[in-house]
């Protein structure tokens, strides 16, 4: 049974940094399409960073240049490094994985493309 477990969330002041982790079980992340989503109460889940085949990435405009998605294939862990955090980055962050093992999948920020989801980790940016 595929399991995704996020960690690394917490409270940070504006301008600070955090790195989120997503450990995958029964799912080999190497070459697979995965993504990070963010949700705030009362709003829809928003795709913010995705990695497809060959390390190709896609970022939401709101995080471009500040966030970086990357993998450690040897540990089977997906990461999201977040820098220069703003109050608007506050939310629950979810890791997602595509069940398809088709090669050459592009990075996609739409949640319909992902079948596996973690339980989320909370990030709060506040002074």
């Amino acid at each position: 049974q595929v399991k995704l477990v996020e960690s690394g969330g917490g409270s940070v002041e504006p301008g600070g940094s955090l790195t989120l982790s997503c450990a995958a079980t029964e799912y080999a992340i190497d070459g697979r399409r995965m993504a990070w989503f963010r949700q705030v109460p009362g709003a829809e889940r928003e795709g913010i960073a995705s990695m497809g085949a060959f390390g190709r990435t896609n970022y939401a405009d709101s995080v471009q240049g500040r966030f970086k998605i990357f993998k450690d294939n040897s540990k089977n862990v997906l990461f999201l490094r977040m820098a220069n955090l703003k109050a608007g980055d506050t939310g629950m962050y979810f890791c997602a994985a595509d069940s398809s093992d088709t090669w050459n999948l592009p990075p996609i920020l739409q949640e319909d493309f992902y079948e596996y989801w973690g339980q989320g980790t909370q990030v709060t940016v506040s002074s």
Side-chain angles (χ1 to χ4, degrees), residues 37 44-47 96 108-115 117:
F37 287 76
E44 293 187 355
R45 202 152 44 185
E46 171 195 16
I108 297 290
L109 295 177
Q110 295 166 260
E111 63 176 287
D112 290 348
F113 286 84
Y114 300 94
E115 291 77 29
W117 294 83

Side-chain angles (χ1 to χ4, degrees), residues 96-109:
D98 189 336
S99 63
S100 174
D101 58 2
T102 301
W103 75 286
N104 205 22
L105 290 176
I108 297 290
L109 295 177

Side-chain angles (χ1 to χ4, degrees), residues 62-80:
S62 60
V63 306
Q64 180 74 47
R66 300 188 298 120
F67 290 14
K68 180 178 177 63
I69 185 172
F70 61 100
K71 294 177 179 177
D72 185 332
N73 292 323
S74 67
K75 297 181 179 178
N76 216 40
V77 177
L78 177 74
F79 295 94
L80 183 68

